[in-house]
Amino acid sequence: MQLSVLADRVERLEAEPADLETTAAVADLLVDAGGGPSADSDDELATATRFLLGRVFPAHDTRTLDVGPALCREAIARAAGPNVTKEDVEDRLAERGEIGAVAAAFELGGQRGLSAFAGGTESLTVSEVDDRLRELAAVDGDGSESRKLDVLFGLFNRTDPAEAKLLARLVLGEMRIGVGEGTVRDAIAEAFLADPAARGVDGDVDGRSDGGTHPDDGAVTEDGAVTEDGPVTHATADRIAAVERALQVTNDYGHVAVLARDEGVSGLHAERLVVGRPVQAMLAQAGTAGDAVAEFGEVAVETKFDGARVQIHYVPPDSTGAASGLGPRIYSRNMDEVTAALPEIVEYVADRVDVPVILDGEVVAVDDGGDPLPFQEVLRRFRRKHDVDRMRETVTLRLHAFDCLHADGSDLLEEPFRVRHDRLAGVLPEAAAAVRTVDDVEAIERIEANALDAGHEGIMLKDPRSTYTPGDRGRSWLKRKPDVETLDAVVVGAEWGEGRRAELFGTFLLAVRDENGTRERARARGALDDDHDGGALDGDHDGYATIGKVATGVTDEELAALTERLEQHVVGESGTELSIRPSVVVEVGYEEIQTSPTYSSGYALRFPRFVGVRDDKGVGDADTLDRVERLAGGSEGPSEA
Ligand code: AMP
């Protein structure tokens, strides 16, 4: 598929409000990318699917492009010709606030004379862009920045405005076209698993010869007749569920699209976990002992360990199969690999486990007596690249495993929790979290009191019959911690400090996610002025609503580290105020949440204080405005998060 075709379709998708038509339009695009009239080669389906979600690599893949906004701006400037500087690009960015629009605003290709060096003159295909970006991701060592710049320049130099917009957003992982993962999931089902009638194939509405419905799926007979009554407009819930399950298992939208097209529902069902390929962590909601008893009857109660989530993949050396001898690999909650930072956990698992496994658990820091230390201590170790051995002497870690997703060739996702836990206790008894199954509130409260006395964060209440649902924040796992409430907020702005801290950011503007348009509702009910806190620091980033500024509780060391991290994400500056692309999550404490016209959420934190950077969380894990509303309204008391 030509990049221009994809870019054009993406522009059209962006221009339309997201609705059911969006799913149909994405489905059409996938069909075309994967064998329709404009496809050039087969695996472009996988690539186009990932590109739509702003990805070059699937989520489980630990490779990254590692291209910062500054490098991208420089490549755009270079492709725009000798009269355009990086500063010009930055100025445009301050005006337009979004890199795609900036890239599209310049006439690129000003360096055509250099095109031999820059990698060709023909128009770009989706596959070629993918190949070049994969090469770029592999660039390493001395001079890597300038080699990456060459690759990017070579690509931008061959783009028209729509392609440049797509490329810039792809490179920075900010697609923002209103097509989310749910839409792509539904579109995969619709493109390749829906009935031909629904896809307009028999009527040949847009000239496609094959809607992609797979003959195995039971919806179509061998001669192509539809077996169900009447045309179905969209893929059925069970087909969407089949796509969803395959996505949970593989974490690769591209692969799942190809699988749906080539092997249909049965192929999706046959997909298995792979040891060494991380899956998303199952998540918990807040809940009380009463909720758990009412919802589950029997409740499996565990300690809630205050550490960092880990997923451990291991294939012992003498196992059979392709991955034999895959040393323990450890992934964070966001599926980043953190193996090198945690050598003693690697050794611990390798010494004890003798079958291939995927385990889920928490790594906590402990004191000399083995008692848990606050979670900030773990973070001193968790993503560390340097001084690992020295820090190992300083901060002692312990693994608490609480789930088992795979053991000795068997996938356990669909097994009930109690079965998974039994397997866990079999493969790693020393580290398996203790579970007590009880059915009354008083018993749960006694366990909770003991857990708190022992210095833990709280308890987890699990439905013993529940399956493991990766990435899902359902009600099968309830978390209960009595600590003072905190919020996980995203930094969207900063101000330079004063005096001794003048070289560092001093104040941080915080936002929560606003996916459901809650902010619009606040505006509608008049709780919010139209012109709240304007200027560079109004933190107006799509999908986020500001909630306060935090300046206290940060050590000099934390400030320096935060400043360095956030500087890479500055997208605008006005006086001492900076606007920051949402990328870092911080945990903040506060005394109260008040309604307030000052911030775009319509709420403000009273006496906010910085608790720590949540390196283990991505912006998608930050708290939402809906939760803030509940907290402010008192429907989620401080003791229930
Ligand atoms: P929170 O980070 O407050 O949303 O709480 C959910 C997190 O608690 C999970 O993502 C785990 O990292 C952590 N956790 C600690 N102990 C357990 C446990 N026994 N079972 C499940 N999750 C746990």
Side-chain angles (χ1 to χ4, degrees):
M1 177 180 255
Q2 296 291 321
L3 184 68
S4 59
V5 173
L6 180 64
D8 178 53
R9 303 282 275 272
V10 162
E11 289 237 296
R12 278 192 270 157
L13 282 169
E14 191 183 0
E16 294 296 326
D19 55 17
L20 277 180
E21 292 301 310
T22 312
T23 311
V26 174
D28 276 341
L29 170 55
L30 298 182
V31 168
D32 289 350
S38 54
D40 296 325
S41 77
D42 245 11
D43 56 11
E44 285 199 314
L45 171 59
T47 307
T49 311
R50 293 186 194 118
F51 280 13
L52 264 180
L53 290 168
R55 295 191 151 277
V56 174
F57 298 108
H60 66 74
D61 198 317
T62 47
R63 285 176 290 178
T64 56
L65 296 183
D66 206 14
V67 170
L71 194 70
C72 182
R73 297 196 289 252
E74 201 168 335
I76 293 170
R78 212 157 121 190
N83 299 329
V84 178
T85 64
K86 205 171 102 189
E87 288 68 37
D88 295 331
V89 177
E90 279 159 10
D91 288 348
R92 287 273 176 103
L93 188 58
E95 274 163 31
R96 297 179 181 238
E98 194 270 310
I99 193 71
V102 173
F106 287 104
E107 195 158 322
L108 304 185
Q111 302 293 286
R112 290 279 185 227
L114 295 181
S115 49
F117 153 72
T121 48
E122 322 78 49
S123 54
L124 288 164
T125 62
V126 167
S127 299
E128 191 187 349
V129 172
D130 192 49
D131 290 347
R132 292 287 93 75
L133 292 179
R134 280 165 186 262
E135 282 162 30
L136 177 148
V139 170
D140 198 9
D142 284 350
S144 61
E145 285 284 291
S146 90
R147 279 186 288 150
K148 285 185 176 190
L149 181 61
D150 286 345
V151 176
L152 278 186
F153 158 64
L155 289 173
F156 275 119
N157 201 37
R158 290 167 60 194
T159 55
D160 68 16
E163 293 169 309
K165 187 194 239 178
L166 178 72
L167 182 63
R169 289 170 165 187
L170 176 63
V171 161
L172 295 183
E174 298 173 2
M175 208 41 106
R176 294 202 205 151
I177 52 170
V179 174
E181 294 185 342
T183 306
V184 175
R185 175 201 60 201
D186 294 356
I188 292 172
E190 194 165 323
F192 305 119
L193 307 175
D195 297 322
R199 301 258 59 244
V201 173
D202 289 342
D204 210 10
V205 173
D206 23 339
R208 284 194 306 269
S209 57
D210 176 13
T213 300
H214 199 271
D216 284 358
D217 299 345
V220 220
T221 60
E222 265 183 23
D223 59 3
V226 182
T227 54
E228 288 171 22
D229 287 343
V232 180
T233 330
H234 293 287
T236 52
D238 55 334
R239 290 169 201 201
I240 292 176
V243 176
E244 173 69 26
R245 184 199 160 273
L247 288 170
Q248 289 182 347
V249 170
T250 63
N251 264 301
D252 183 351
Y253 282 78
H255 173 70
V256 169
V258 171
L259 201 61
R261 181 196 60 195
D262 296 347
E263 295 178 35
V265 169
S266 53
L268 295 172
H269 282 313
E271 195 64 29
R272 293 280 164 261
L273 292 173
V274 173
V275 184
R277 183 176 72 187
V279 298
Q280 292 190 45
M282 179 163 171
L283 302 170
Q285 285 188 21
T288 61
D291 295 339
V293 171
E295 290 170 38
F296 313 151
E298 289 212 306
V299 183
V301 189
E302 288 176 354
T303 298
K304 183 175 193 301
F305 306 101
D306 192 11
R309 185 85 175 254
V310 287
Q311 194 175 98
I312 301 174
H313 291 237
Y314 178 47
V315 184
D318 47 2
S319 322
T320 51
S324 174
L326 174 88
R329 294 211 179 145
I330 310 179
Y331 299 91
S332 73
R333 169 188 168 126
N334 295 328
M335 298 186 288
D336 296 332
E337 191 173 349
V338 293
T339 312
L342 308 171
E344 66 270 57
I345 307 295
V346 169
E347 289 158 17
Y348 184 89
V349 170
D351 286 349
R352 290 168 178 77
V353 176
D354 54 15
V355 292
V357 286
I358 303 177
L359 305 175
D360 190 2
E362 192 92 348
V363 165
V364 295
V366 292
D367 64 16
D368 292 343
D371 289 329
L373 292 169
F375 133 92
Q376 278 73 17
E377 290 297 307
V378 180
L379 291 188
R380 295 173 66 196
R381 292 283 315 273
F382 202 56
R383 281 168 200 277
R384 181 167 284 276
K385 297 208 169 69
H386 307 290
D387 286 343
V388 171
D389 290 335
R390 186 174 61 80
M391 283 309 288
R392 180 177 176 173
E393 304 298 315
T394 315
V395 179
T396 306
L397 298 180
R398 171 171 299 171
L399 171 68
H400 294 281
F402 48 71
D403 218 311
C404 181
L405 282 52
H406 175 99
D408 202 9
S410 306
D411 285 355
L412 305 173
L413 295 181
E414 262 127 86
E415 297 290 344
F417 172 69
R418 62 170 106 236
V419 171
R420 300 198 308 274
H421 198 277
D422 284 350
R423 292 303 293 268
L424 172 66
V427 293
L428 191 56
E430 301 95 325
V435 185
R436 303 250 329 259
T437 306
V438 296
D439 59 8
D440 66 289
V441 170
E442 290 72 34
I444 295 176
E445 284 171 353
R446 276 195 301 276
I447 301 173
E448 182 180 9
N450 288 339
L452 296 175
D453 279 350
H456 296 293
E457 200 189 6
I459 50 172
M460 298 292 297
L461 305 165
K462 299 182 178 176
D463 180 348
R465 295 158 308 174
S466 61
T467 59
Y468 192 100
T469 47
D472 187 29
R473 191 184 291 283
R475 285 198 68 79
S476 304
W477 286 12
L478 299 177
K479 56 183 174 180
R480 168 152 178 92
K481 56 177 173 180
D483 277 350
V484 177
E485 199 50 64
T486 59
L487 268 188
D488 291 330
V490 178
V491 180
V492 293
E495 286 170 47
W496 289 106
E498 289 174 352
R500 145 180 98 82
R501 287 178 164 183
E503 299 294 302
L504 302 173
F505 295 162
T507 301
F508 301 92
L509 177 63
L510 306 174
V512 287
R513 293 189 292 132
D514 179 19
E515 288 167 341
N516 302 328
T518 309
R519 175 177 154 188
E520 287 312 312
R521 295 204 298 277
R523 204 187 292 282
R525 62 164 199 266
L528 191 61
D529 290 347
D530 272 341
D531 55 352
H532 62 272
D533 195 28
L537 203 53
D538 75 353
D540 247 340
H541 292 270
D542 270 1
Y544 293 89
T546 53
I547 183 137
K549 291 178 189 172
V550 65
T552 48
V554 195
T555 64
D556 283 2
E557 198 185 9
E558 283 167 335
L559 260 192
L562 248 183
T563 303
E564 197 181 321
R565 288 255 316 262
L566 290 170
E567 268 185 321
Q568 303 166 27
H569 301 288
V570 171
V571 289
E573 190 159 1
S574 153
T576 56
E577 300 185 348
L578 303 125
S579 170
I580 293 181
R581 183 158 55 105
S583 42
V584 174
V585 177
V586 295
E587 185 173 351
V588 281
Y590 55 87
E591 283 201 358
E592 209 185 334
I593 300 180
Q594 298 173 315
T595 55
S596 156
T598 309
Y599 298 103
S600 66
S601 61
Y603 294 97
L605 300 179
R606 192 152 172 259
F607 302 124
R609 79 197 140 71
F610 186 84
V611 177
V613 177
R614 292 298 305 249
D615 262 330
D616 58 324
K617 292 198 172 181
V619 288
D621 299 316
D623 276 312
T624 60
L625 185 49
D626 283 349
R627 174 150 190 257
V628 169
E629 282 205 323
R630 284 202 301 279
L631 288 166
S635 65
E636 192 181 326
S639 61
E640 292 184 12

